[in-house]
Coordinates of all heavy atoms in Angstrom, one line a residue:
M1 N 0.9 -1.2 0.0 CA 0.0 0.0 0.0 C 0.9 1.2 0.0 O 1.9 1.4 0.8 CB -0.9 0.0 1.2 CG -1.8 1.2 1.3 SD -3.3 0.9 2.3 CE -2.6 0.7 3.9
H2 N 0.5 2.2 -0.8 CA 1.3 3.4 -0.9 C 1.1 4.2 0.4 O 0.0 4.3 0.9 CB 0.8 4.3 -2.1 CG 1.7 5.4 -2.4 ND1 1.7 6.6 -1.8 CD2 2.8 5.4 -3.2 CE1 2.6 7.4 -2.3 NE2 3.4 6.7 -3.1
F3 N 2.0 4.9 0.9 CA 1.9 5.5 2.1 C 0.9 6.6 2.1 O 0.1 6.8 3.2 CB 3.4 6.2 2.5 CG 3.6 6.1 3.9 CD1 4.3 5.1 4.5 CD2 3.1 7.1 4.8 CE1 4.6 4.9 5.9 CE2 3.4 7.0 6.2 CZ 4.1 6.0 6.7
D4 N 0.7 7.3 1.0 CA -0.3 8.3 1.0 C -1.7 7.7 1.1 O -2.7 8.5 1.4 CB -0.2 9.1 -0.4 CG 0.9 10.1 -0.4 OD1 1.5 10.3 0.7 OD2 1.2 10.7 -1.4
D5 N -1.9 6.4 0.9 CA -3.2 5.8 1.0 C -3.5 5.3 2.4 O -4.5 4.7 2.7 CB -3.4 4.7 0.0 CG -3.3 5.3 -1.4 OD1 -3.8 6.4 -1.6 OD2 -2.8 4.6 -2.3
M6 N -2.5 5.4 3.3 CA -2.7 4.9 4.6 C -3.7 5.7 5.4 O -3.7 6.9 5.3 CB -1.3 5.0 5.4 CG -0.3 4.1 4.8 SD 0.4 2.9 5.9 CE 0.7 3.8 7.5
P7 N -4.6 5.0 6.0 CA -5.6 5.8 6.8 C -5.0 6.5 8.1 O -4.0 5.9 8.7 CB -6.6 4.7 7.3 CG -5.8 3.4 7.2 CD -4.7 3.6 6.1
I8 N -5.5 7.6 8.4 CA -5.0 8.3 9.6 C -6.0 7.8 10.7 O -7.1 7.8 10.7 CB -5.2 9.9 9.4 CG1 -4.5 10.3 8.1 CG2 -4.7 10.6 10.7 CD1 -4.8 11.6 7.7
G9 N -5.3 7.6 11.8 CA -6.0 7.3 13.0 C -7.0 8.5 13.5 O -6.6 9.6 13.2
D10 N -8.0 8.2 14.0 CA -8.9 9.2 14.4 C -8.4 10.1 15.6 O -8.6 11.3 15.6 CB -10.3 8.7 14.8 CG -11.1 8.3 13.6 OD1 -10.9 8.8 12.5 OD2 -12.0 7.4 13.7
A11 N -7.8 9.5 16.5 CA -7.4 10.1 17.8 C -6.0 10.8 17.7 O -5.7 11.8 18.2 CB -7.5 9.2 18.9
Y12 N -5.1 10.1 17.0 CA -3.8 10.5 17.1 C -3.0 10.1 15.8 O -3.5 9.2 15.1 CB -3.0 10.0 18.2 CG -2.9 8.5 18.3 CD1 -1.7 7.9 17.8 CD2 -4.0 7.7 18.8 CE1 -1.7 6.5 17.8 CE2 -3.8 6.4 18.7 CZ -2.6 5.8 18.2 OH -2.6 4.4 18.2
L13 N -1.9 10.7 15.5 CA -1.0 10.4 14.4 C 0.1 9.5 15.0 O 0.7 9.8 16.0 CB -0.4 11.6 13.8 CG -1.4 12.5 13.0 CD1 -0.7 13.8 12.7 CD2 -1.8 11.9 11.8
T14 N 0.4 8.5 14.3 CA 1.5 7.7 14.6 C 2.8 8.4 14.3 O 2.9 9.3 13.6 CB 1.5 6.3 13.9 OG1 1.7 6.6 12.5 CG2 0.2 5.5 14.0
H15 N 3.9 8.0 15.1 CA 5.2 8.5 14.9 C 5.6 8.3 13.4 O 6.1 9.2 12.8 CB 6.2 7.8 15.8 CG 7.6 8.4 15.7 ND1 7.9 9.6 16.1 CD2 8.7 7.8 15.0 CE1 9.3 9.8 15.8 NE2 9.7 8.7 15.2
E16 N 5.2 7.2 12.8 CA 5.6 7.0 11.4 C 4.9 7.9 10.4 O 5.4 8.4 9.5 CB 5.3 5.6 11.0 CG 6.2 4.5 11.6 CD 5.9 4.2 13.0 OE1 4.9 4.7 13.5 OE2 6.7 3.5 13.6
A17 N 3.5 8.2 10.8 CA 2.8 9.1 9.9 C 3.4 10.5 10.0 O 3.6 11.3 8.9 CB 1.4 9.1 10.4
V18 N 3.7 11.0 11.2 CA 4.4 12.3 11.4 C 5.7 12.4 10.6 O 5.9 13.3 9.9 CB 4.6 12.5 12.9 CG1 5.5 13.8 13.1 CG2 3.3 12.8 13.6
Q19 N 6.5 11.4 10.8 CA 7.8 11.4 10.1 C 7.6 11.4 8.6 O 8.3 12.1 7.9 CB 8.6 10.2 10.5 CG 9.2 10.3 11.9 CD 9.9 11.5 12.2 OE1 10.8 11.9 11.4 NE2 9.5 12.2 13.2
A20 N 6.6 10.6 8.0 CA 6.4 10.5 6.6 C 6.1 11.9 6.1 O 6.5 12.3 5.0 CB 5.4 9.5 6.3
V21 N 5.1 12.6 6.7 CA 4.6 13.9 6.2 C 5.8 14.9 6.3 O 6.0 15.6 5.4 CB 3.4 14.3 7.1 CG1 3.0 15.8 6.7 CG2 2.3 13.4 6.9
L22 N 6.4 14.9 7.4 CA 7.6 15.9 7.6 C 8.7 15.7 6.5 O 9.2 16.6 5.9 CB 8.2 15.8 9.0 CG 7.3 16.4 10.1 CD1 8.0 16.2 11.4 CD2 7.0 17.8 9.8
E23 N 8.9 14.4 6.3 CA 9.9 14.1 5.3 C 9.5 14.5 3.9 O 10.3 15.0 3.1 CB 10.1 12.5 5.3 CG 11.5 12.1 5.0 CD 11.8 10.6 5.2 OE1 12.1 10.3 6.5 OE2 11.6 9.8 4.4
R24 N 8.2 14.3 3.5 CA 7.7 14.6 2.2 C 7.9 16.1 2.0 O 8.0 16.6 0.9 CB 6.3 14.2 2.1 CG 5.6 14.5 0.8 CD 4.2 13.9 0.8 NE 3.4 14.6 1.7 CZ 2.2 14.1 2.2 NH1 1.8 13.0 1.9 NH2 1.5 14.8 3.0
Q25 N 7.7 16.9 3.1 CA 7.8 18.4 3.1 C 9.2 18.9 3.3 O 9.3 20.1 3.5 CB 6.7 19.0 4.0 CG 5.3 18.6 3.6 CD 4.3 19.3 4.5 OE1 3.2 18.8 4.6 NE2 4.7 20.2 5.3
D26 N 10.1 18.0 3.5 CA 11.5 18.5 3.9 C 11.4 19.2 5.1 O 12.3 20.2 5.3 CB 12.1 19.3 2.8 CG 12.4 18.3 1.5 OD1 12.8 17.2 1.8 OD2 12.4 18.9 0.4
N27 N 10.6 19.0 6.1 CA 10.5 19.7 7.3 C 10.1 21.1 7.1 O 10.5 22.0 8.0 CB 11.8 19.5 8.2 CG 11.8 18.2 8.9 OD1 11.0 17.9 9.7 ND2 12.8 17.3 8.5
L28 N 9.5 21.5 6.1 CA 9.1 22.9 5.8 C 7.5 23.0 5.8 O 6.8 22.0 5.5 CB 9.6 23.3 4.5 CG 11.1 23.3 4.2 CD1 11.5 23.7 2.8 CD2 11.8 24.2 5.2
C29 N 7.1 24.2 6.3 CA 5.6 24.3 6.4 C 5.0 24.2 4.9 O 5.6 24.8 4.0 CB 5.4 25.6 7.0 SG 3.6 26.2 6.8
A30 N 3.9 23.5 4.8 CA 3.2 23.3 3.6 C 2.7 24.6 3.0 O 2.3 24.8 1.9 CB 2.2 22.3 3.6
G31 N 2.4 25.7 4.0 CA 1.8 26.8 3.6 C 2.8 27.9 3.3 O 2.6 28.5 2.1
C32 N 3.8 28.0 4.0 CA 4.7 29.2 3.7 C 6.1 28.9 3.5 O 7.0 29.7 3.2 CB 4.5 30.2 4.8 SG 5.1 29.6 6.5
G33 N 6.5 27.5 3.7 CA 7.8 27.1 3.6 C 8.8 27.4 4.8 O 10.0 27.2 4.6
T34 N 8.2 27.8 6.0 CA 9.1 28.1 7.1 C 9.5 26.7 7.6 O 8.8 25.8 7.6 CB 8.2 28.8 8.1 OG1 7.9 30.1 7.7 CG2 8.9 28.8 9.5
P35 N 10.8 26.6 8.0 CA 11.3 25.3 8.7 C 10.3 25.1 9.9 O 10.1 26.0 10.7 CB 12.7 25.7 9.1 CG 13.1 26.8 8.2 CD 11.9 27.6 8.0
L36 N 9.9 23.8 10.0 CA 9.1 23.4 11.1 C 9.9 22.9 12.3 O 10.9 22.3 12.1 CB 8.1 22.3 10.7 CG 7.1 22.8 9.6 CD1 6.4 21.5 9.0 CD2 6.1 23.7 10.1
D37 N 9.5 23.2 13.5 CA 10.1 22.6 14.6 C 9.1 21.7 15.3 O 8.0 21.9 15.2 CB 10.8 23.6 15.6 CG 9.7 24.4 16.3 OD1 9.1 23.9 17.3 OD2 9.5 25.6 16.0
A38 N 9.7 20.7 16.1 CA 8.9 19.6 16.5 C 7.7 20.1 17.4 O 6.7 19.5 17.5 CB 9.7 18.5 17.2
V39 N 8.0 21.1 18.2 CA 7.0 21.4 19.3 C 5.9 22.3 18.8 O 4.8 22.4 19.4 CB 7.7 22.2 20.4 CG1 8.6 21.3 21.2 CG2 8.5 23.4 20.0
S40 N 6.0 22.9 17.6 CA 5.0 23.8 17.1 C 4.5 23.5 15.7 O 4.4 24.4 14.9 CB 5.4 25.3 17.3 OG 6.6 25.5 16.5
T41 N 4.5 22.3 15.4 CA 4.0 21.8 14.1 C 2.6 21.3 14.2 O 2.2 20.4 15.1 CB 4.8 20.8 13.5 OG1 6.3 21.2 13.5 CG2 4.4 20.2 12.1
Y42 N 1.7 21.8 13.3 CA 0.3 21.2 13.3 C 0.0 20.4 12.1 O 0.6 20.7 11.0 CB -0.7 22.4 13.2 CG -0.6 23.2 14.6 CD1 0.3 24.2 14.8 CD2 -1.6 23.0 15.6 CE1 0.3 24.9 16.0 CE2 -1.6 23.6 16.7 CZ -0.5 24.7 16.9 OH -0.6 25.4 18.1
F43 N -0.7 19.3 12.3 CA -1.0 18.5 11.2 C -2.5 18.6 10.8 O -3.4 18.4 11.7 CB -0.7 17.0 11.4 CG 0.8 16.8 11.6 CD1 1.4 17.1 12.8 CD2 1.5 16.5 10.5 CE1 2.8 16.8 12.9 CE2 2.9 16.3 10.6 CZ 3.5 16.5 11.8
D44 N -2.7 19.2 9.6 CA -4.1 19.4 9.2 C -4.4 18.7 7.9 O -3.6 18.4 7.1 CB -4.4 20.9 8.9 CG -4.3 21.7 10.2 OD1 -4.9 21.3 11.1 OD2 -3.7 22.8 10.2
L45 N -5.7 18.3 7.7 CA -6.2 17.7 6.4 C -6.2 18.8 5.5 O -6.9 19.8 5.7 CB -7.6 17.1 6.6 CG -7.5 15.7 7.5 CD1 -8.9 15.3 7.8 CD2 -6.7 14.7 6.7
R46 N -5.6 18.7 4.3 CA -5.6 19.7 3.3 C -7.1 19.9 2.8 O -7.6 21.0 2.6 CB -4.7 19.4 2.2 CG -3.2 19.5 2.5 CD -2.3 19.3 1.4 NE -2.2 17.9 1.0 CZ -1.1 17.4 0.4 NH1 -0.2 18.2 0.2 NH2 -1.1 16.1 0.2
Q47 N -7.7 18.8 2.5 CA -9.1 18.8 2.1 C -9.9 18.2 3.2 O -9.8 17.0 3.4 CB -9.2 17.9 0.8 CG -10.6 17.8 0.2 CD -10.8 18.9 -0.7 OE1 -10.1 19.9 -0.9 NE2 -12.0 19.0 -1.3
P48 N -10.7 19.0 3.8 CA -11.4 18.6 5.0 C -12.3 17.4 4.7 O -12.9 17.3 3.6 CB -12.4 19.7 5.5 CG -11.7 20.9 4.9 CD -11.0 20.4 3.6
V49 N -12.4 16.5 5.6 CA -13.2 15.2 5.5 C -14.6 15.6 5.1 O -15.3 14.9 4.3 CB -13.1 14.3 6.6 CG1 -14.1 13.2 6.5 CG2 -11.7 13.7 6.7
I50 N -15.1 16.6 5.8 CA -16.5 17.1 5.6 C -16.8 17.5 4.2 O -17.9 17.6 3.7 CB -16.9 18.1 6.6 CG1 -18.4 18.5 6.6 CG2 -16.0 19.5 6.3 CD1 -18.8 19.5 7.6
R51 N -15.6 17.8 3.4 CA -15.8 18.3 2.0 C -15.4 17.2 1.1 O -15.0 17.4 0.0 CB -14.9 19.5 1.8 CG -15.5 20.5 0.8 CD -14.8 21.8 0.9 NE -13.4 21.8 0.6 CZ -12.5 22.7 0.9 NH1 -12.9 23.9 1.3 NH2 -11.3 22.6 0.6
G52 N -15.4 15.9 1.7 CA -15.0 14.8 0.7 C -13.5 14.5 0.7 O -13.2 13.6 -0.1
G53 N -12.8 15.1 1.6 CA -11.3 14.8 1.5 C -11.1 13.4 2.1 O -11.7 13.0 3.1
P54 N -10.2 12.6 1.7 CA -9.8 11.3 2.2 C -9.1 11.4 3.6 O -8.4 12.4 3.8 CB -8.9 10.7 1.1 CG -8.3 11.9 0.5 CD -9.2 13.0 0.5
H55 N -9.4 10.5 4.5 CA -8.8 10.5 5.7 C -7.5 9.7 5.6 O -7.4 8.6 6.2 CB -9.8 9.9 6.7 CG -9.6 10.4 8.2 ND1 -9.8 9.7 9.3 CD2 -9.1 11.7 8.6 CE1 -9.5 10.5 10.3 NE2 -9.1 11.6 9.9
T56 N -6.6 10.2 4.8 CA -5.4 9.4 4.6 C -4.2 10.4 4.7 O -4.3 11.6 4.7 CB -5.4 8.8 3.2 OG1 -5.5 9.9 2.2 CG2 -6.5 7.8 3.0
L57 N -3.0 9.7 4.8 CA -1.7 10.5 4.9 C -1.6 11.4 3.8 O -1.0 12.5 3.9 CB -0.6 9.5 5.0 CG -0.3 9.0 6.4 CD1 1.1 8.2 6.3 CD2 -0.2 10.1 7.4
G58 N -1.9 11.0 2.5 CA -1.7 11.8 1.4 C -2.5 13.2 1.5 O -2.2 14.1 0.8
N59 N -3.5 13.2 2.3 CA -4.4 14.4 2.5 C -3.9 15.3 3.6 O -4.5 16.3 4.0 CB -5.8 14.1 2.6 CG -6.8 15.2 2.5 OD1 -6.5 16.2 1.8 ND2 -7.8 15.2 3.3
L60 N -2.7 14.8 4.3 CA -2.3 15.5 5.5 C -1.2 16.5 5.1 O -0.4 16.3 4.3 CB -1.8 14.4 6.5 CG -1.8 14.8 7.9 CD1 -3.2 15.0 8.4 CD2 -1.1 13.7 8.7
A61 N -1.2 17.6 5.8 CA -0.2 18.7 5.6 C 0.3 19.1 6.9 O -0.5 19.3 8.0 CB -0.7 19.8 4.8
A62 N 1.6 19.3 7.0 CA 2.3 19.8 8.3 C 2.3 21.3 8.1 O 2.8 21.8 7.0 CB 3.6 19.3 8.5
L63 N 1.8 22.0 9.1 CA 1.8 23.5 9.0 C 2.4 24.2 10.2 O 2.4 23.6 11.3 CB 0.3 23.9 8.9 CG -0.5 23.5 7.7 CD1 -1.9 23.9 7.9 CD2 0.1 24.2 6.5
C64 N 3.0 25.4 10.0 CA 3.5 26.2 11.1 C 2.2 26.7 11.9 O 1.1 26.7 11.3 CB 4.4 27.2 10.7 SG 3.5 28.6 9.8
P65 N 2.4 27.3 13.0 CA 1.3 27.8 13.8 C 0.4 28.8 13.1 O -0.9 28.8 13.1 CB 1.9 28.4 15.1 CG 3.1 27.6 15.3 CD 3.6 27.3 13.9
S66 N 1.0 29.7 12.4 CA 0.3 30.7 11.7 C -0.5 30.3 10.6 O -1.6 30.7 10.3 CB 1.1 32.0 11.3 OG 1.9 31.8 10.1
C67 N 0.1 29.4 9.8 CA -0.6 28.7 8.6 C -1.7 27.9 9.1 O -2.7 27.8 8.5 CB 0.4 28.0 7.7 SG 1.5 29.0 6.8
H68 N -1.5 27.3 10.3 CA -2.6 26.4 10.9 C -3.7 27.2 11.2 O -4.9 26.9 10.9 CB -2.0 25.7 12.1 CG -3.1 25.1 12.9 ND1 -3.8 24.0 12.6 CD2 -3.6 25.4 14.2 CE1 -4.6 23.7 13.5 NE2 -4.6 24.5 14.5
L69 N -3.5 28.4 11.8 CA -4.6 29.3 12.1 C -5.3 29.8 10.8 O -6.6 29.8 10.8 CB -4.0 30.6 12.9 CG -3.9 30.4 14.3 CD1 -3.3 31.7 15.0 CD2 -5.2 30.1 15.0
N70 N -4.6 30.2 9.8 CA -5.2 30.6 8.6 C -6.0 29.5 8.0 O -7.2 29.7 7.4 CB -4.1 31.0 7.5 CG -3.5 32.4 7.9 OD1 -4.1 33.2 8.6 ND2 -2.3 32.6 7.4
H71 N -5.5 28.3 8.0 CA -6.2 27.1 7.5 C -7.5 26.9 8.1 O -8.6 26.7 7.6 CB -5.3 25.9 7.7 CG -5.8 24.7 7.1 ND1 -5.9 24.4 5.7 CD2 -6.3 23.5 7.6 CE1 -6.4 23.2 5.4 NE2 -6.6 22.6 6.5
M72 N -7.4 27.0 9.5 CA -8.7 26.8 10.2 C -9.7 27.9 10.0 O -10.8 27.6 9.9 CB -8.4 26.8 11.8 CG -7.7 25.6 12.3 SD -8.7 24.1 12.3 CE -7.7 23.1 11.3
R73 N -9.2 29.1 9.9 CA -10.0 30.2 9.6 C -10.8 30.1 8.3 O -11.9 30.4 8.1 CB -9.3 31.6 9.7 CG -9.9 32.6 10.4 CD -9.0 33.8 10.6 NE -8.2 33.8 11.8 CZ -6.9 34.2 11.9 NH1 -6.3 34.7 10.9 NH2 -6.3 34.2 13.1
R74 N -10.0 29.6 7.3 CA -10.5 29.5 5.9 C -11.6 28.4 5.9 O -12.6 28.5 5.3 CB -9.4 29.2 5.0 CG -9.7 29.2 3.5 CD -8.5 29.2 2.7 NE -7.6 28.1 3.0 CZ -7.7 26.9 2.5 NH1 -8.8 26.6 1.7 NH2 -6.8 26.0 2.8
I75 N -11.3 27.3 6.5 CA -12.3 26.2 6.6 C -13.5 26.6 7.3 O -14.7 26.4 7.0 CB -11.7 24.9 7.2 CG1 -10.6 24.4 6.3 CG2 -12.8 23.9 7.5 CD1 -9.8 23.2 6.9
R76 N -13.3 27.3 8.5 CA -14.5 27.8 9.2 C -15.4 28.8 8.4 O -16.6 28.7 8.4 CB -14.1 28.5 10.5 CG -14.5 27.8 11.8 CD -14.0 28.5 13.0 NE -13.0 27.7 13.6 CZ -11.9 28.1 14.2 NH1 -11.6 29.4 14.1 NH2 -11.0 27.4 14.7
G77 N -14.7 29.6 7.6 CA -15.4 30.5 6.8 C -16.2 29.8 5.7 O -17.3 30.1 5.4
E78 N -15.6 28.8 5.1 CA -16.2 28.0 4.0 C -17.5 27.3 4.6 O -18.4 27.0 3.8 CB -15.3 26.9 3.5 CG -14.2 27.6 2.6 CD -13.2 26.6 2.1 OE1 -13.5 25.4 2.3 OE2 -12.2 27.0 1.5
F79 N -17.5 27.0 5.9 CA -18.6 26.2 6.5 C -19.4 27.1 7.4 O -20.1 26.5 8.2 CB -18.1 25.0 7.2 CG -17.5 23.9 6.3 CD1 -16.3 23.8 5.9 CD2 -18.5 23.2 5.5 CE1 -15.8 22.8 5.1 CE2 -18.0 22.2 4.6 CZ -16.7 22.1 4.4
A80 N -19.3 28.4 7.2 CA -20.1 29.3 8.0 C -21.5 29.0 8.0 O -22.2 29.0 9.1 CB -19.8 30.7 7.6
D81 N -22.1 28.5 6.9 CA -23.5 28.3 6.8 C -23.9 27.0 7.7 O -25.0 26.8 8.0 CB -23.8 27.9 5.4 CG -23.8 29.2 4.4 OD1 -23.7 30.3 5.1 OD2 -23.7 29.0 3.3
H82 N -23.0 26.2 7.9 CA -23.3 24.9 8.7 C -23.0 25.0 10.2 O -23.0 24.1 10.9 CB -22.5 23.7 8.1 CG -22.7 23.5 6.7 ND1 -23.9 23.0 6.2 CD2 -21.9 23.9 5.6 CE1 -23.8 22.9 4.9 NE2 -22.6 23.4 4.5
R83 N -22.6 26.3 10.6 CA -22.2 26.5 12.0 C -23.2 26.2 13.0 O -23.1 25.7 14.1 CB -21.7 27.9 12.2 CG -20.6 27.9 13.2 CD -19.7 29.2 13.0 NE -20.5 30.3 12.5 CZ -19.9 31.5 12.0 NH1 -18.5 31.6 12.2 NH2 -20.5 32.5 11.6
N84 N -24.5 26.5 12.7 CA -25.6 26.3 13.7 C -26.3 24.9 13.5 O -27.5 24.9 13.2 CB -26.7 27.3 13.5 CG -26.0 28.7 13.7 OD1 -25.2 29.0 14.5 ND2 -26.4 29.6 12.7
K85 N -25.5 23.9 13.6 CA -26.2 22.5 13.3 C -26.8 22.0 14.6 O -26.5 22.5 15.7 CB -25.1 21.5 12.8 CG -24.0 21.4 13.6 CD -23.0 20.3 13.0 CE -21.7 20.2 13.8 NZ -20.8 19.3 13.2
Ligands
ZN1 ZN1 3.5 28.3 7.5

C-alpha cells in the first residue's frame, strides 16, 4: 500500500505518519515554507473530510502555527453556513 493511502487514526497520528509527512515536506511548512520545529507543528487535512477529503496520509499537511490558524479560519469561513447545526 502506498503511504499516501494509509488511513489516519482518528485520535492521534503515529510517529511513522508524522515522520512521513515531515519528510515529504523536507520539514518545511506546507503553507509558507518556514522550517518546522517539533513542538509547534500542526497536522491538518488539506481537504477537510466534511468536504469529501480522504482520511489518509496523502491528504495531510504539516503547518506552522500561523498557517494552521489561517487554514482553520478558511475552513471555518467555508462552512459558516453549517455552523448552527
Ligand atoms: Zn507556514
Side-chain angles (χ1 to χ4, degrees):
M1 181 158 64
H2 195 272
F3 216 93
D4 280 355
D5 296 327
M6 294 239 313
I8 304 165
D10 281 334
Y12 64 95
L13 291 170
T14 64
H15 180 72
E16 286 78 10
V18 167
Q19 288 307 310
V21 172
L22 288 177
E23 211 167 276
R24 185 176 62 203
Q25 296 180 197
D26 289 327
N27 281 296
L28 302 177
C29 172
C32 65
T34 293
L36 295 168
D37 70 77
V39 291
S40 58
T41 299
Y42 292 84
F43 292 89
D44 289 319
L45 291 172
R46 288 187 282 211
Q47 181 86 354
V49 171
I50 190 173
R51 212 166 60 192
H55 209 210
T56 59
L57 277 188
N59 191 32
L60 204 65
L63 296 173
C64 73
S66 80
C67 285
H68 168 70
L69 275 179
N70 287 335
H71 185 70
M72 287 293 125
R73 226 173 264 146
R74 190 163 52 80
I75 290 173
R76 241 176 251 140
E78 287 175 10
F79 288 100
D81 292 343
H82 301 284
R83 211 157 31 189
N84 306 315
K85 58 178 172 180

